Amino acid sequence: MELAMAAEELKTVVNRLRRAQGQIAGVIKMIEEGRDCEDVVTQLAAASRALDKAGFAIIATGLQHCLTDPDMAVSGDREQMRTRLEKLFLSLA
């Protein structure tokens, strides 16, 4: 599925992914340093949430695009797109 994302939406997603990237690097460093398990898991959970938020933002943009695209007016195309978006949502669950 090709997503036409507005520049501001793309910037937000990229920022979330960069945040997650930094958090994952922090988790790796914490493990290498033998840091407390609770601290490692807390940081890992934060990275996971950042990735989930980025994924949901991408899906939401795709959904918005599909609902406003006149080419999706054909019911078969809309149903196929709905099925694909549902699978994407479930992949993040």
Side-chain angles (χ1 to χ4, degrees), residues 54-72:
F56 284 126
I58 291 170
I59 293 170
T61 300
L63 180 59
Q64 180 181 6
H65 172 72
C66 293
L67 292 176
T68 59
D69 186 351
D71 293 336
M72 288 289 150

Side-chain angles (χ1 to χ4, degrees), residues 1-92:
M1 172 178 14
E2 187 174 324
L3 299 178
M5 297 181 75
E8 193 59 35
E9 292 166 331
L10 183 58
K11 181 180 175 184
T12 301
V13 170
V14 169
N15 286 341
R16 286 182 179 175
L17 291 172
R18 285 194 176 123
R19 185 176 313 123
Q21 183 179 34
Q23 290 167 327
I24 291 169
V27 169
I28 292 169
K29 184 176 179 182
M30 292 170 77
I31 291 171
E32 290 173 344
E33 294 173 350
R35 297 274 299 271
D36 180 68
C37 177
E38 188 175 343
D39 293 341
V40 172
V41 171
T42 299
Q43 188 69 14
L44 189 58
S48 178
R49 284 190 303 273
L51 289 172
D52 287 345
K53 287 180 181 181
F56 284 126
I58 291 170
I59 293 170
T61 300
L63 180 59
Q64 180 181 6
H65 172 72
C66 293
L67 292 176
T68 59
D69 186 351
D71 293 336
M72 288 289 150
V74 179
S75 71
D77 289 344
R78 289 182 74 86
E79 181 61 26
Q80 181 183 19
M81 185 56 64
R82 188 202 64 76
T83 301
R84 292 171 73 189
L85 287 168
E86 182 180 337
K87 285 180 183 179
L88 287 174
F89 272 114
L90 291 172
S91 73
L92 293 175

